[in-house]
Amino acid sequence: MTDEDRTISDRIQERLDDLTRAERQLALSILENYPASGLGPLAALAKGANVSVPTVARMVQKLGYKGYPDFQADLRDELGAIAKGPIAKHETWAGAAPSEHILNRFTDAVIDNIRNTLAHMDPAAFDEACAWAADQNRHLYIVGGRITHTLAEYLFLHMQVIRPNLTHVQSTSNTWPHYLLNAEEGDVFIIFDVRRYENNTLKLAEMARARGAKIILFTDQWRSPVHRLADISLTSRIIVPSAWDSLATPMLLVESMISAIQSLNWDATKGRMEELEEIFDQTKLFRKFT
């Protein structure tokens, strides 16, 4: 990954261990409302994080910037990237497209996304998310958006085999408030939200949180506004040489989660799989070659 590809969030997470207590407090404050948090005056950022102005100046330099204006310029660029639609993203890419075949360029970008994502992943947080999703005493709600509904449906299909007590919430439907009627404290919502972030998804997360539910968020490197409500955020890099972002890395995390939950609940999952196969045999949905 080149320096141009690294977000300020990447820089902060890479340097967290090197920061002083006050600088770490500032860094976490920036990430809490990232990337909009650093767009105001330097003094306002310091006041909001309850640190001194020199602390802001020192941390910005530790992140590799000459000063606060350069730091803000990168933040504005990231906000612009978040707001880009497919056409604008394609125009940005096409002007600097290398000559290698698209299969190689696209694959290289996906591999780079995966490496960067795993380098910043907290295994303990991932394990905790899997444990919550595997807990059959908690009702599990799975929510996707306009594009990410494909990931939500894929996860839901596998969870149907692994465990009972779950619901697929279609956030693009105007009936999604109905699903909240049965949500209780301690239930788990797995929410998918990548740029361009959806208002329906944020509102659903706010209401689920108000009912005491746990929230696991799958999002991108800029992080959906839902991250401020989430108990666990699993971020993925999604940039590829295309007008659309890639869901390859989020899909890797989803399939890893499916594998983990399957193992956590293996005895029950095995029984459900065997019962499902019997149902398939009765319905003759699939051809068997012997």
Side-chain angles (χ1 to χ4, degrees):
M1 181 179 59
T2 65
D3 284 343
E4 288 76 11
D5 292 331
R6 292 162 70 222
T7 66
I8 288 175
S9 175
D10 292 335
R11 294 173 185 260
I12 290 174
Q13 292 174 27
E14 288 167 3
R15 297 300 303 272
L16 270 179
D17 291 340
D18 302 326
L19 301 179
T20 66
R21 182 197 61 77
E23 290 166 352
R24 182 185 291 265
Q25 180 175 317
L26 170 62
L28 296 177
S29 177
I30 290 173
L31 292 176
E32 184 64 24
N33 190 29
Y34 177 82
S37 48
L39 295 179
L42 186 154
L45 177 59
K47 182 178 179 180
N50 197 26
V51 299
S52 68
V53 168
T55 296
V56 178
R58 285 195 304 270
M59 196 196 76
V60 164
Q61 290 179 347
K62 284 186 177 181
L63 296 179
Y65 296 98
K66 293 180 180 179
Y68 192 64
D70 292 337
F71 171 82
Q72 284 193 314
D74 266 13
L75 276 178
R76 292 190 183 97
D77 288 344
E78 289 186 28
L79 277 174
I82 291 172
K84 281 182 181 177
I87 295 175
K89 281 187 284 183
H90 180 269
E91 292 302 320
T92 300
W93 159 67
S99 59
E100 291 87 351
H101 194 280
I102 184 61
L103 282 171
N104 293 324
R105 288 187 285 116
F106 200 98
T107 300
D108 286 343
V110 168
I111 291 173
D112 191 53
N113 286 343
I114 291 172
R115 286 174 175 163
N116 182 272
T117 296
L118 295 182
H120 292 95
M121 181 63 59
D122 179 356
F126 181 83
D127 291 345
E128 186 171 18
C130 292
W132 287 352
D135 186 351
Q136 297 183 23
N137 293 319
R138 302 176 186 266
H139 194 98
L140 178 63
Y141 297 84
I142 300 175
V143 186
R146 187 178 70 93
I147 298 297
T148 55
H149 73 90
T150 54
L151 293 174
E153 289 171 3
Y154 186 83
L155 177 59
F156 176 72
L157 177 65
H158 287 80
M159 289 299 101
Q160 281 184 302
V161 179
I162 293 173
R163 56 160 291 170
N165 200 24
L166 75 161
T167 299
H168 179 207
V169 180
Q170 300 190 26
S171 65
T172 53
S173 167
N174 60 10
T175 63
W176 66 258
H178 298 183
Y179 294 106
L180 290 169
L181 287 173
N182 295 322
E184 299 179 349
E185 184 173 357
D187 287 346
V188 176
F189 279 71
I190 294 180
I191 297 177
F192 295 86
D193 195 29
V194 300
R195 70 173 184 180
R196 297 174 283 180
Y197 311 117
E198 299 181 35
N199 291 327
N200 269 3
T201 304
L202 177 58
K203 178 55 68 175
L204 186 152
E206 290 172 345
M207 297 176 75
R209 183 73 177 185
R211 298 177 79 91
K214 300 285 188 181
I215 296 177
I216 300 168
L217 172 66
F218 284 82
T219 188
D220 53 38
Q221 64 261 43
W222 299 284
R223 301 199 303 179
S224 157
V226 174
H227 89 270
R228 294 192 295 272
L229 304 166
D231 297 276
I232 299 173
S233 291
L234 304 175
T235 61
S236 302
R237 287 188 65 86
I238 60 175
I239 298 174
V240 286
S242 170
W244 290 272
D245 293 318
S246 169
L247 295 183
T249 308
M251 175 59 87
L252 172 68
L253 296 184
V254 166
E255 293 201 311
S256 298
M257 174 174 277
I258 291 169
S259 177
I261 296 172
Q262 168 191 282
S263 297
L264 289 170
N265 286 342
W266 177 243
D267 288 341
T269 297
K270 181 181 178 183
R272 289 175 67 85
M273 285 180 171
E274 291 171 345
E275 185 175 355
L276 182 61
E277 287 302 315
E278 291 178 4
I279 295 173
F280 283 153
D281 288 344
Q282 294 175 31
T283 59
K284 302 188 185 300
L285 284 174
F286 303 108
R287 296 182 62 180
K288 288 195 173 182
F289 297 91
T290 57

